[in-house]
Each structure stands twice: as C-alpha cells, then as structure tokens.
Amino acid sequence: MQTLVFKIDASKDVAAQVDRCAAIIKAGGTVAFPTETVYGLGANAFDAAAVAKIFAAKKRPADDPLIVHVSGIGMVDGLVKPGAMDARARALVQAFWPGPLTVVLQKSSRVPSIVTSGLDTVAVRMPSHPVAMAFIDRAGVPIAAPSANLFERPSPTKASHVLVDLDGRIDAVIDGGDATIGVESTIIDMTRGRPLLLRPGGITVEQIEAVVGPVDIHPSIKDKQYKGPMLSPGMKARHYAPDGSLVLVEGTGERVIQAIEKLAAAALKDGKRVAILSCTADIAVAGAISHRIGRDQEQIAHHLYEAFREMNDRHVDVIFTECTTEDGLGLAIMNRLRKAAERIVHA
Ligand code: TXA
Ligand code: MG
C-alpha cells in the first residue's frame, strides 16, 4: 500500500488538516500521528479488524496490549467498567490529563480483546498534543495506538522515523514535527490497592505521589534481570533497542568515564565500529564516535531515541552509554537504557 503523508501547518486550522486522516480511521484504516511523548500508530479501538492491522504493520506480538487514546473525558465511559474510574483515578487524570499519563482500569466489554491482549483491564490516556487531540476528536472514536515503530525498534519521535520503519505498511502519517518529551507516557495501574507504576515516563513518580500518595514501583522497572510476574507481557526485557549492542556502564563520576574509555579502546582494537553516548560530559576516544545526548534530563529524554536511530544509520556495532540519576525524568531514561542494553557493566 502507499502511505500518505500529511504535513501539518500549525499556523492554520489543525482540525481541517486532520479530517482526511480521521476519515481513514472511521473506514478501518491505520494512521500514525504525533503525540507529546512519541508518535503513535492509531486505529479505531472499537474495530477489532482495524486494530489487527496495527499488530501486522508493526510485527508486534499479540500478547502486547495497546494504549487507548481519548480526546475528552466522556470517551472514557465507553472503555471502562462503570465505577472503574474511582476517586483516586479521577484525581490523577484531573491533575495530568491531557498529558503523558496512562491509567490502567477495569475494561468494559465493548473493548475488543485484541486491544488488551485478553486482559480484563484497559490502558487509557488523553494526549496533550494539539494535533493528536484534533485527530481523535474528528475521528469521534477512541484510538488504540502503540508507538509507531517496528516491534523492538526505538520509538519514533519524528515523522521521518515512522516512515523508516512503516512506509508502505500503514495508510497514512500525520507529520506534526518533533514529539517534545521523547519518551513514552507513564503507565500506572489503578486496579489494585496501592497505585502501581508499570512504566516510568513523562509524568514523574514524584508528581503522582503528590496527588495520590505512595506509589509502588514494579520491580522490573529498575531490575533488568527481574523474572517475576509481569502483569503485561509488553513489559518484557529487550525493547527500544538500537541495532548495535548497547553496553550500559553504571556508576558515578570519573570511574564511569575511565571504564568507558577502556571498553571503547578494546572494542576498537577488535575492529568494531564504536560509539559513546554520554550525558555528563563529552567522552572522547580516538576512532570512536562521540555523541552527547543532552545536557539535562529533558534534553536527554527528547533526544534519546533519535540518538539510537542515528547509531543505526551510522552502522555502529557497539555503543557504550553512561547513566543519569533516577530522580524525575531520569527514572524513565534509565529504564529505557536498561531495556535497550545487551549488557550492563558496573564501573
Ligand atoms: O506515550 C505513549 O504511551 C505512546 C504514545 C503513542 O501514546 N504509546 C506507547 O504505546 O508507548 P506502546 O504500545 O509502545 O506501549 C504500551 C504498553 C504495553 O507494552 C504494555 O506494557 C502497557 O502499555 N499496557 C497496555 N495495556 C495494558 C494493560 N491493560 N495492563 C498493563 N499494561 C498495559
Ligand atoms: Mg512501544
């Protein structure tokens, strides 16, 4: 199929520009669209055949459930069980919607099981990106959308990233410029006693705790070796990864830099194409590509997946990466780095 590209002119009426893509959704097609976190690949959440096209286009396994996107609080009613949105969940969405927060709630029987991979819960979020909002609003239905990348590749933060992975496999892409945050939404399960963080993201644990009190953090978020129950198979280990093998060097200060310099030199000696991704300072080793992802957590999150994709374009064999602290957005950044890592070294 031919993938149509619609470039948004933000100075003009956005709703009118997304009309054709909304029509594609209503007709059972697939459209990639920008959100404030990453680009999503959308289909009508109530149309099982349309949602099946998402899984096929991405080569995504059927046991990895999708997030359903809404443009108004009224849309949530059709997705969840009556009463599922309790006082705490309501407080959270009032505080953070529209925005990068996904809440897991008991699902209504109207949501086809392909969307939730057979789980009796559904993940829902209201994105804050004006193009996403206008697009869902015009479509008039909730839109199921995972990140618009091929399975296991880094999430796309630009329309060009979507096309690299999915050109010819989806009906259309709405090009609304760069996704601002750069890492996916925070996912919080509100179906149990205490809220449970399933994926750190654009809204921080600190922000959530300020609204609903203590939050449990799923052990798999910090521990790559975690082998216990997953709640969602989509939380499985390797994810978001560049083609080359990523080696994450954990630790602090000078020791990390020295370890990276040593490891990079050894890999170069083996004839590998080597890159170093850094956060705190430029780490230069003769013969290796040196790339500073960003200077603060906002910048690092914004440029992380772009950096992975750039390493793919440059055919890098091995990438050495340093860490950031785990406060604020850092928890999401470190979670993605650990998931992408083939190996974790302690300096
Ligand atoms: O920022 C985002 O959340 C982006 C944009 C497009 O909104 N979407 C995104 O979707 O990151 P995706 O498919 O890449 O990640 C969805 C993850 C699944 O892998 C799974 O871990 C979790 O959401 N999930 C979905 N439904 C769930 C459920 N009912 N219970 C637990 N986890 C669920
Ligand atoms: Mg994804």
Side-chain angles (χ1 to χ4, degrees):
M1 75 175 70
Q2 200 204 334
T3 300
L4 304 171
V5 180
F6 295 88
K7 198 164 171 56
I8 298 294
D9 179 347
S11 69
K12 300 210 176 95
D13 178 29
V14 170
Q17 296 175 72
V18 297
D19 249 356
R20 274 189 66 195
C21 288
I24 293 172
I25 293 292
K26 286 188 249 188
T30 51
V31 178
F33 62 100
T35 83
E36 73 279 21
T37 57
V38 300
Y39 272 71
L41 175 59
N44 178 355
F46 290 136
D47 181 343
V51 172
K53 293 179 188 170
I54 294 177
F55 284 90
K58 281 183 56 105
K59 304 184 182 169
R60 181 178 175 109
D63 66 0
D64 191 357
L66 308 183
I67 294 173
V68 181
H69 298 67
V70 298
S71 58
I73 200 82
M75 263 190 194
V76 181
D77 292 340
L79 297 169
V80 306
K81 250 192 174 159
M85 181 75 92
D86 64 8
R88 284 180 322 167
R90 192 163 307 118
L92 274 185
V93 307
Q94 266 166 7
F96 302 116
W97 279 5
L101 179 76
T102 297
V103 290
V104 173
L105 300 168
Q106 293 295 334
K107 85 185 244 314
S108 92
S109 55
R110 272 192 78 193
V111 180
S113 67
I114 185 171
V115 172
T116 63
S117 303
L119 297 173
D120 56 9
T121 57
V122 62
V124 188
R125 108 168 172 97
M126 188 192 294
S128 63
H129 197 294
V131 173
M133 284 292 254
F135 170 57
I136 303 164
D137 189 57
R138 284 288 169 138
V141 289
I143 293 188
S147 49
N149 49 287
L150 282 173
F151 182 62
E152 290 193 324
R153 304 204 67 206
S155 293
T157 56
K158 299 170 183 292
S160 61
H161 297 166
V162 177
L163 288 167
V164 167
D165 283 12
L166 300 176
D167 194 14
R169 305 178 65 81
I170 59 177
D171 292 307
V173 181
I174 306 175
D175 181 353
D178 281 22
T180 41
I181 297 172
V183 292
E184 300 83 348
S185 63
T186 302
I187 304 180
I188 188 129
D189 185 345
M190 298 302 289
T191 65
R192 46 196 73 238
R194 220 187 241 199
L196 175 64
L197 184 77
L198 298 180
R199 180 175 74 183
I203 299 289
T204 66
V205 174
E206 294 88 334
Q207 287 175 292
I208 294 173
E209 289 191 327
V211 176
V212 289
V215 165
D216 287 333
I217 295 183
H218 196 275
S220 68
I221 287 171
K222 292 188 180 179
D223 180 7
K224 193 177 168 65
Q225 308 306 330
Y226 173 79
K227 296 273 185 317
M230 273 314 209
L231 300 175
S232 163
M235 296 165 74
K236 66 172 209 38
R238 201 168 134 93
H239 224 102
Y240 318 108
D243 297 340
S245 67
L246 189 120
V247 180
L248 178 63
V249 183
E250 295 209 21
T252 46
E254 230 5 73
R255 287 177 57 180
V256 171
I257 297 179
Q258 280 164 9
I260 290 179
E261 285 170 350
K262 225 167 130 189
L263 288 162
L268 285 163
K269 227 171 150 191
D270 283 349
K272 302 246 169 67
R273 275 179 80 85
V274 175
I276 299 169
L277 298 184
S278 66
C279 305
T280 53
D282 291 308
I283 306 176
V285 171
I289 295 166
S290 175
H291 182 96
R292 187 159 175 185
I293 308 171
R295 282 166 198 280
D296 56 34
Q297 290 183 335
E298 269 73 34
Q299 278 188 27
I300 295 166
H302 182 87
H303 292 294
L304 182 67
Y305 292 138
E306 187 185 347
F308 285 179
R309 284 179 179 265
E310 192 179 320
M311 296 305 115
N312 292 350
D313 294 342
R314 297 174 78 169
H315 306 290
V316 169
D317 301 312
V318 51
I319 303 162
F320 297 100
T321 309
E322 66 169 340
C323 297
T324 172
T325 53
E326 286 188 285
D327 55 320
L329 255 186
L331 186 64
I333 295 165
M334 283 308 299
N335 169 254
R336 305 311 189 271
L337 284 174
R338 289 199 184 103
K339 288 205 175 227
E342 201 167 284
R343 200 151 63 90
I344 296 176
V345 174
H346 294 272

